C-alpha cells in the first residue's frame, strides 16, 4: 500500500496539473469505487480544484470555491494517473475526471476486488472523515512521539502503523524506520528510554524524507527499500541476512543483528494465536 512518501510524491506531481483547468466531466466511476452519491459527481463540473492535498495516506482535492472535496483512498492496488490531452486512457478506469482542454485524472485498480475508494463530500464532511487520524508522521518531534508511545503499551511495529496514533506509516516504512532506529519490531512502546524515543523520532523523519526524495525521482521499490521484502539479503548496515516474521496479518522484515540483539522473533500470526 502506498504510504506517506509515495502519496506525498504523487500529491506534489498532481498539484499543478489538477488545478490548471476547471473540470469538464466528472465520471464515470465504478460502482464499488464511488462511495458517495450526495452531492452527485456532476456537481464538480465547471468547478476548479485549488490543488492536491494530503493527510496521512489519503489524497484529497478541494474546489477553489470551498464547496466540495474529493477524497481518494488508493488502498493496495489503486493508482492515480494524470493524462495529457490526447494521451491514451485505459479502457475502463475505476474513476475518471476530464478537465477542460482534454487532460484527465484517472484512477485504475488492477485487482479483482475493488478496494480503492473515492468520496465526494462537503469540506465539513471531509474534515470529519479525516478527523480520526493522528499527527503527521513527517515532522513529528521526540516530545510528541514520546507522548504517543507512553499512551498505550503496544508493539512498535503495530503502533507505528496505527493511523489513529500517527498518520502516514504502513508496514513497509515501519520496517525501514525500525531498522534505522535499531529497535525491535516487538519492543513495547512504553519500554523505550528517552534516548530510544529520540532515535525513533529521528528515524521516522530521516526515513520518510529519504523515501519521499527517492519516490519523487520515480525510484522503484527495489531502489527504495533496504529491509522491506529483502529476506536473506545482506543488511546494509552489518551485512547479516535480513530475517522475516509473521505478526498478526503482516510479515515484518528486520535485521536480528541490529534490532533484536541477535534473537530470532517468534511467529505471532493472529490465526495461530486464535487456534
Ligand atoms: Zn544489520
Amino acid at each position: 500500500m502506498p504510504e506517506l512518501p509515495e502519496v506525498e510524491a504523487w500529491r506534489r506531481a498532481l498539484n499543478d496539473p489538477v488545478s490548471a483547468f476547471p473540470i469538464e466531466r466528472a465520471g464515470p466511476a465504478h460502482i464499488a469505487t464511488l462511495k458517495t452519491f450526495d452531492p452527485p459527481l456532476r456537481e464538480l463540473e465547471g468547478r476548479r480544484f485549488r490543488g492536491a492535498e494530503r493527510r496521512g495516506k489519503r489524497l484529497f482535492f478541494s474546489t477553489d470555491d470551498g464547496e466540495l472535496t474529493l477524497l481518494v483512498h488508493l488502498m493496495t492496488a489503486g493508482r492515480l494517473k494524470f493524462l495529457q490531452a490526447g494521451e491514451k486512457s485505459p479502457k475502463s478506469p475505476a474513476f475518471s475526471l476530464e478537465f477542460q482542454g482534454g487532460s484527465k485524472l484517472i484512477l485504475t485498480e488492477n485487482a479483482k476486488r475493488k478496494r480503492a475508494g473515492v468520496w465526494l463530500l462537503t469540506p465539513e464532511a471531509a474534515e470529519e472523515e479525516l478527523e480520526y487520524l493522528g499527527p503527521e508522521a513527517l515532522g513529528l518531534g521526540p516530545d510528541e512521539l514520546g507522548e504517543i508511545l507512553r499512551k498505550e503499551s503496544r508493539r512498535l511495529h503495530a503502533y507505528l502503523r496505527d493511523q489513529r496514533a500517527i498518520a502516514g506509516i504502513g508496514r513497509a516504512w515501519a520496517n525501514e524506520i525500525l531498522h534505522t532506529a535499531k529497535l525491535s519490531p516487538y519492543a513495547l512502546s512504553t519500554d523505550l528510554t528517552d534516548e530510544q524515543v529520540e532515535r525513533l523520532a529521528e528515524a521516522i523523519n530521516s526515513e520518510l524524507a529519504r523515501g519521499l526524495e527517492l519516490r519523487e525521482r520515480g525510484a522503484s521499490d527495489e531502489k527504495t527499500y533496504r529491509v522491506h521484502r529483502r529476506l536473506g539479503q545482506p543488511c546494509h548496515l552489518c551485512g547479516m541476512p535480513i530475517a522475516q516474521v509473521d505478526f498478526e496479518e503482516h510479515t515484518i522484515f528486520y535485521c536480528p543483528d541490529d534490532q533484536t540483539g541477535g534473537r530470532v522473533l517468534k511467529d505471532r500470526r493472529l490465526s495461530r494465536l486464535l487456534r
Side-chain angles (χ1 to χ4, degrees):
M1 188 185 292
E3 302 174 26
L4 190 151
E6 290 74 34
V7 180
E8 177 60 18
W10 290 335
R11 187 200 70 74
R12 292 181 183 186
L14 289 170
N15 190 56
D16 290 342
V18 298
S19 53
F21 294 100
I23 295 151
E24 170 92 23
R25 204 161 72 95
H30 192 280
I31 191 164
T33 306
L34 184 64
K35 309 285 188 191
T36 53
F37 57 90
D38 185 28
L41 260 192
R42 63 170 186 280
E43 285 287 312
L44 278 174
E45 294 172 1
R47 296 181 208 252
R48 190 196 284 251
F49 288 135
R50 64 169 178 234
E53 293 163 86
R54 181 191 58 78
R55 185 73 174 85
K57 306 181 203 171
R58 309 280 291 262
L59 264 178
F60 59 99
F61 308 89
S62 294
T63 55
D64 63 2
D65 58 9
E67 298 284 329
L68 295 167
T69 298
L70 186 77
L71 203 66
V72 177
H73 201 14
L74 296 165
M75 302 303 289
T76 308
R79 294 292 177 268
L80 275 178
K81 278 183 197 136
F82 189 85
L83 304 174
Q84 301 296 342
E87 228 179 302
K88 207 172 159 238
S89 173
K91 248 187 219 140
S92 44
F95 178 75
S96 163
L97 280 182
E98 189 173 336
F99 298 93
Q100 284 173 21
S103 56
K104 282 181 183 169
L105 179 68
I106 59 160
L107 193 162
T108 58
E109 192 173 22
N110 190 11
K112 273 196 199 110
R113 245 183 81 211
K114 297 272 178 264
R115 295 181 64 220
V118 171
W119 291 254
L120 184 61
L121 303 164
T122 62
E124 298 75 39
E127 207 171 290
E128 260 172 54
E129 187 73 29
L130 300 172
E131 212 173 38
Y132 77 96
L133 292 169
E136 285 289 313
L138 192 56
L140 201 61
D143 294 344
E144 203 178 351
L145 178 66
E147 247 173 66
I148 294 166
L149 295 174
R150 279 189 298 271
K151 242 188 261 173
E152 276 180 68
S153 190
R154 304 262 306 272
R155 307 243 176 231
L156 285 183
H157 198 278
Y159 206 9
L160 287 180
R161 286 189 283 103
D162 184 343
Q163 302 305 298
R164 284 163 209 277
I166 301 168
I169 300 170
R171 53 188 158 157
W173 288 103
N175 286 329
E176 300 295 322
I177 287 165
L178 290 171
H179 180 255
T180 296
K182 298 198 171 190
L183 291 169
S184 167
Y186 281 7
L188 287 172
S189 55
T190 43
D191 285 352
L192 262 51
T193 64
D194 289 349
E195 189 267 326
Q196 287 173 320
V197 171
E198 232 164 83
R199 230 160 61 207
L200 182 55
E202 239 172 72
I204 289 173
N205 283 293
S206 67
E207 280 302 295
L208 295 179
R210 180 177 74 82
L212 176 55
E213 203 222 305
L214 286 165
R215 295 304 198 181
E216 273 203 279
R217 287 196 267 124
S220 61
D221 288 357
E222 185 74 9
K223 289 227 162 78
T224 303
Y225 301 136
R226 302 190 286 203
V227 191
H228 182 63
R229 295 213 180 111
R230 287 198 175 266
L231 176 67
Q233 295 179 40
C235 163
H236 76 96
L237 296 177
C238 72
M240 296 302 284
I242 296 294
Q244 75 173 40
V245 63
D246 287 321
F247 176 70
E248 294 176 349
E249 75 279 33
H250 297 306
T251 301
I252 293 173
F253 295 86
Y254 68 103
C255 171
D257 243 52
D258 282 314
Q259 294 176 258
T260 57
R263 271 187 312 118
V264 170
L265 295 176
K266 288 210 181 71
D267 188 337
R268 283 174 183 267
R269 262 175 302 180
L270 272 187
S271 55
R272 265 178 71 145
L273 296 175
L274 295 173
R275 212 174 279 160

